[in-house]
Every structure is written in C-alpha cells, then in structure tokens.
Amino acid sequence: MRALPVRRIATTVLCASLLIGTAGPVIAAESDSPPSNAQEAARAPVAGADALLAQAKTLGDAGGVLTPVTDLLTAVLKADKGQLPAAEAAKLAEPVKAAITKASAAAPKAPEAPALPQTSTLPEAAALPKAMPDDARAAADPKADALKALQTAVDTLLKAATGGDVAAVAGAVPTVLTGLVNVVAATLLGGGLPAPDLAGLPALPKLPEAKLPAAPNVPQAPALS
C-alpha cells in the first residue's frame, strides 16, 4: 500500500515532464518568431528625431569647444604671472584646435547667391556688381567667422602665456572670453535651435540678412528706324 503514493508521485512527475517537453519547442518558437507590429511600433523613433538629433549635435559641438578653451583659460589664470611652460601650453592648445576644427567642419555652409543674368548683348551695357559683396558673404556664415576669430584669439593668448609678457596675457584673456561668447551666440542664432523661453530673458537679436544690391538700370537700345 505504501507504493501507491510513490506511483502517484512518479506519474505526476512524468506528466509534468511530458508537458514541459511539449511546451518547450513552442516557447522557443515564440521567442524566435519575428517581432509583431506592436513590438515594431514600440521601437519606432520619436517623431522628428532627426531634426532633434541635429539640434543636440549643434549644442554638443559648441560644448566641445567651450571645455578645452576654458581649460586653457583656467590654466593661464592660475599660473604664476600667467605664464605656462611650452610643453603644457602645447598640450592645452591641441584639444582646442581639434575642437574648433571639428566644429568648423560641422558648421553649415552659407548658400551662394545665383549669378545675375548677363546683359552684354545690349549696347553700352553698364557693368553689373558682384552677385554678393564680400562683407555680405561673411555675414552669411557667422558661426564659421566666430570659430576662426576664437582660434586667432587663442593663438594670441598662447603666445603671450609663453612669452613672458604679463600685460599681453591680461589683454588676451578677455578677447578669448569674448570669442567664446560669440561662438555660443552664433550657434544659438544660426543652428536652428528652439527660441529660449526663460521668463525675463531679453530677445536675441536676429542675424543680419545678406541681400543682393540692386542692379543699375540698363539703358534701352535705340529703336531701329
């Protein structure tokens, strides 16, 4: 009589084993099955993700410039009389140049204005001005100009910080700080970023628009009699 419970236990274990053996391939098949439409929808990117990623990258590029430049400024301002050993100055200058070069490559290029039609077939046609004057072309790419000016300011600071001229260091540091502010401003104004909405914050100025000069009036050809 004592064998009966043992048989029942063995029978239960056997049934459970058969059930697990039968369900195992089904579970494996379900895990290997392609994702359903609901799963694909859950993995879909955020609406407008490409534009938002571009904005995030724009800020990241600006931040990548700020960090090495501020590291250089901190080292110079903490050094005795603002002087750095040549090796330390070169070590600090390398990431600055790399960051500015990277940000310059990522800066959007200003579109060139289309060439104006030629009027040389008319008699005594007046010469037309350039499609876009140099000053207007420069204003169309403020971020690139700001990055270039910042690199020049950094070079001036490095020269002063390794040349023993304390007065030159004092004059170069504010120029570098202004260059950093210009890079940030150009990034915010020209990077397609959302407008700030902080209460009490003054409105940012708009970038100057490059406009083509008006073409001079061309005299009409005399009518043939």
Side-chain angles (χ1 to χ4, degrees):
M1 297 298 293
R2 293 181 180 179
L4 183 58
V6 176
R7 291 179 181 178
R8 289 179 179 177
I9 294 173
T11 303
T12 303
V13 173
L14 177 60
C15 293
S17 301
L18 291 175
L19 289 174
I20 294 174
T22 305
V26 176
I27 296 174
E30 290 180 353
S31 63
D32 294 338
S33 61
S36 62
N37 293 335
Q39 291 174 328
E40 288 295 336
R43 296 177 183 175
V46 177
D50 291 341
L52 295 174
L53 285 172
Q55 293 178 1
K57 186 178 183 304
T58 297
L59 290 175
D61 291 339
V65 173
L66 292 176
T67 300
V69 175
T70 52
D71 288 344
L72 171 62
L73 288 172
T74 301
V76 171
L77 293 173
K78 287 185 175 181
D80 183 24
K81 297 182 180 180
Q83 297 300 299
L84 297 174
E88 183 179 357
K91 184 178 180 180
L92 290 167
E94 184 177 351
V96 173
K97 185 176 181 180
I100 292 178
T101 300
K102 180 180 179 181
S104 299
K109 303 300 181 183
E112 295 185 3
L116 295 176
Q118 299 293 331
T119 57
S120 57
T121 56
L122 296 177
E124 299 181 359
L128 294 176
K130 294 181 180 179
M132 182 183 293
D134 294 337
D135 54 349
R137 191 183 304 275
D141 197 0
K143 185 177 180 181
D145 292 343
L147 290 167
K148 183 178 180 181
L150 177 60
Q151 182 64 69
T152 301
V154 167
D155 292 341
T156 301
L157 175 61
L158 288 169
K159 182 178 180 180
T162 55
D165 192 343
V166 180
V169 172
V173 168
T175 305
V176 174
L177 287 171
T178 301
L180 280 177
V181 173
N182 288 340
V183 169
V184 173
T187 300
L188 294 177
L189 292 173
L193 297 170
D197 60 356
L198 183 63
L201 187 68
L204 293 174
K206 294 182 178 181
L207 289 175
E209 296 181 0
K211 296 183 179 180
L212 294 176
N217 293 329
V218 179
Q220 296 289 336
L224 298 178
S225 56

